[in-house]
Amino acid sequence: MEALGIEQYVPYVGEEMVAAVFQAARPLYGLRLLHVNSTFHGGGVAGMLHSLIPLMNDVGINADWSLLYGDPSLFQVTKKLHNALQGEPVELTDREVADYLRVNEAFARYSPLADHDIIIVHDPQPLPMIRYQQRVNPWVWRCHIDISTPHDLVWEALKPFILRYDGVVVSSEAFRKPDLPVDTHIIAPAIDPLSELNRELTTDELAKKLDQYKIPLDKPILVQVSRFDKWKDPLGVLEVFRRVREAVDCRLVMVGNMATDDPEGPQIFSQVQEQVQEMGDVHLITQTDALLVNALQRSAAVVMQLSRREGFGLTVSEALWKETPVVATNVGGIPQQVLHGQTGYLVEPGDYEGAAGLVTRLLQDPELRQRIGSQGREHVRQNFLMPRLLLDWLRVLVELA
C-alpha cells in the first residue's frame, strides 16, 4: 500500500494543523533520524512507529527504524526492568545485568548509529547502548512507561545511562522526574485514523470480520484490548464481567497479542484461560488482527481498560475514536483521554464493584452511551491524532538539531 501523506489527514485535523506540521519541519529537511526499539509488532509503541516514521519521511526527514536483537533471556531481564520502573520490587542477578549490557554493547558496536543525526531510543530495552557509542549526535530516550513511582534500586541503576542522553520524552506531566537533571519533554501518544486499526469500516466489512471469529451480536459486547499482562489486570476484567452479567446478559471479548519482548504473556494468558473455562460467553483472541480490533471496538457497547499501571493506553483513544464509551482505571495517561462523566468513566485500580456499576449503567442507557461516545470521538480528534504527535516531535527535534 502506498505510504500515506500528511495532507490526507486534513479531513480530521484541518488545514491549519497540516500547515503547522510543514512549517515546523522546514529546519529539519534532510535530517537523518533513527528510531530504536525492541519489537516490530505488539503494543502501542510499534503501532505508533508504523505510522509516525512514514510521516516523518513525508515532511522531509530521513527517518529509519532499527530493532534491538535479543534472545528470550534478554527479554526476561528487560521485562523485570519494565516492571520495576512501574514500581514492582525486583531482584536482578549479576548475570542478568551482564547479559543486558552485553546485548546492548554488541548492538551499539555493529549498528550504523553514527550515520544518523539524531537517535531516538524507546523504553528500557536499548537504553544502555548509548554507553557504547562515541558521541557524534544527540540522543533522546523516549520512555513510554509510567515511571512516576519506580523501584528505587532499579531506577538508580538505570539513571546513569539516562544522564548520558540529551533529552527525555515521557507521555504525561505525572511522569516527569524531579531527580532527573535532563531536559524532559511531554509528548502524549496518538492514534492513526487512517490505519487498518482505526479506519472507517463498512457494515459488510464489520460483519464479515466478526463472523470470521465466530463472535455473534445477539447480546451486548464488552471488550478489553490489551496484552495479557498482569499490569492490564485481565483477571480483574473477568471479575467485572461476572458482576455485570448478574444485571445484564452480555458477552466479553478479550483481545491480547503476545509481544515478542514480553515473556510473561503466556503465563498470564494461561491463568485467564483457566478462569474462562468456568464461565460462558467469553472469547479470548491472541491473533494479531488490526481489522478485528477495529470491528470489536466499533461493535462494543462498552470498552474497558482496567490497567493497574499504564504508560498511556492508546486502546482507550482507539475506542473513543469509534464513539464507544470507555470505563477505565484512573492511572497513567488514561485520565488525559477519559474525562470522567464526559468521554467515559474512571475508577481506581481494583474497584471492580465500581467498574461493574458504571458498565451496567452504560449498558442500560443507550442515550448515555451515544452522548459519551460522541464526546469521546471529538476529544480524540482534538488531542490524540497522528499529525499532533508528529508536530510535537518536530518541535522537540528542532531544539535538539
Side-chain angles (χ1 to χ4, degrees):
M1 187 175 76
E2 183 181 353
L4 298 174
I6 186 67
E7 68 278 0
Q8 297 186 56
Y9 295 85
V10 167
Y12 303 102
V13 300
E15 294 178 345
E16 289 186 3
M17 168 64 82
V18 171
V21 166
F22 280 114
Q23 182 176 6
R26 286 175 193 153
L28 301 170
Y29 290 158
L31 181 81
R32 298 167 301 172
L33 175 70
L34 181 66
H35 290 269
V36 181
N37 78 318
S38 63
T39 182
F40 189 67
H41 66 83
V45 178
M48 280 190 289
L49 291 179
H50 276 288
S51 296
L52 180 63
I53 291 172
L55 289 176
M56 284 183 162
N57 280 280
D58 184 56
V59 299
I61 296 174
N62 292 324
D64 207 348
W65 185 358
S66 184
L67 294 180
L68 172 71
Y69 172 79
D71 56 23
S73 64
L74 170 70
F75 294 133
Q76 291 283 351
V77 179
T78 57
K79 183 61 178 181
K80 281 188 176 182
L81 295 175
H82 184 282
N83 290 341
L85 288 173
Q86 295 198 143
E88 180 179 299
V90 302
E91 292 185 6
L92 294 171
T93 67
D94 292 341
R95 175 65 180 272
E96 288 175 326
V97 173
D99 286 346
Y100 175 51
L101 299 181
R102 174 182 51 78
V103 171
N104 272 276
E105 180 179 11
F107 181 82
R109 294 198 187 285
Y110 296 106
S111 296
L113 301 174
D115 295 340
H116 297 84
D117 301 311
I118 293 181
I119 311 294
I120 300 175
V121 174
H122 295 263
D123 285 335
Q125 295 91 334
L127 172 64
M129 70 179 188
I130 190 172
R131 175 177 170 183
Y132 305 105
Q133 267 283 314
Q134 183 176 359
R135 297 296 298 279
V136 296
N137 45 23
W139 288 53
V140 180
W141 186 48
R142 174 53 171 112
C143 181
H144 299 269
I145 301 169
D146 178 349
I147 55 172
S148 54
T149 56
H151 180 49
D152 286 341
L153 290 178
V154 170
W155 175 247
E156 292 302 322
L158 293 179
K159 194 190 295 185
F161 299 116
I162 304 172
L163 292 173
R164 292 174 175 264
Y165 282 78
D166 301 276
V168 171
V169 175
V170 293
S171 299
S172 168
E173 187 65 38
F175 304 159
R176 190 191 293 273
K177 301 296 293 176
D179 64 333
L180 187 65
V182 178
D183 288 342
T184 301
H185 307 267
I186 312 300
I187 299 181
I191 66 170
D192 186 347
L194 301 177
S195 68
E196 288 290 273
L197 186 59
N198 297 302
R199 69 173 176 84
E200 300 298 320
L201 297 181
T202 66
T203 302
D204 186 54
E205 281 181 309
L206 191 151
K208 284 183 177 179
K209 183 54 66 172
L210 295 183
D211 184 63
Q212 178 185 342
Y213 288 85
K214 298 180 172 54
I215 301 172
L217 293 173
D218 57 327
K219 59 183 68 175
I221 295 177
L222 309 180
V223 170
Q224 174 154 310
V225 179
S226 285
R227 294 184 186 187
F228 287 98
D229 182 320
K230 62 188 174 187
W231 297 106
K232 312 296 185 181
D233 199 9
L235 299 180
V237 174
L238 293 177
E239 177 59 30
V240 170
F241 174 62
R242 285 192 189 98
R243 299 181 185 214
V244 171
R245 197 166 52 170
E246 293 175 0
V248 180
D249 187 20
C250 56
R251 174 172 289 113
L252 173 66
V253 182
M254 300 178 70
V255 185
N257 55 34
M258 305 291 183
T260 55
D261 60 350
D262 185 359
E264 292 182 345
Q267 178 186 352
I268 301 298
F269 181 68
S270 178
Q271 295 174 8
V272 173
Q273 276 185 311
E274 185 177 342
Q275 290 207 17
V276 165
Q277 289 175 359
E278 304 171 5
M279 307 170 68
D281 275 334
V282 179
H283 293 252
L284 301 179
I285 300 171
T286 59
Q287 285 91 332
T288 300
D289 188 334
L291 278 182
L292 171 66
V293 173
N294 191 336
L296 283 170
Q297 290 171 332
R298 293 181 186 280
S299 303
V302 180
V303 165
M304 293 185 284
Q305 189 60 56
L306 301 185
S307 306
R308 289 190 286 147
R309 296 294 289 269
E310 187 66 73
F312 193 75
L314 272 179
T315 53
V316 172
S317 281
E318 292 165 9
L320 295 178
W321 178 246
K322 301 169 181 85
E323 300 190 51
T324 302
V326 174
V327 173
T329 40
N330 185 24
V331 297
I334 291 177
Q336 295 172 247
Q337 305 166 79
V338 176
L339 308 181
H340 187 69
Q342 299 178 47
T343 68
Y345 293 100
L346 295 170
V347 296
E348 294 305 312
D351 183 7
Y352 305 135
E353 182 178 355
L358 291 168
V359 171
T360 301
R361 179 185 174 191
L362 286 164
L363 289 176
Q364 294 175 334
D365 192 339
E367 291 185 2
L368 177 63
R369 292 204 306 272
Q370 183 177 10
R371 176 173 62 81
I372 292 285
S374 176
Q375 291 171 172
R377 180 179 173 92
E378 179 59 18
H379 182 57
V380 172
R381 189 192 71 77
Q382 292 185 20
N383 297 282
F384 304 117
L385 296 185
M386 193 56 59
R388 193 274 309 153
L389 176 64
L390 175 61
L391 181 59
D392 284 354
W393 266 115
L394 293 175
R395 288 170 173 166
V396 170
L397 293 173
V398 166
E399 288 187 34
L400 289 167

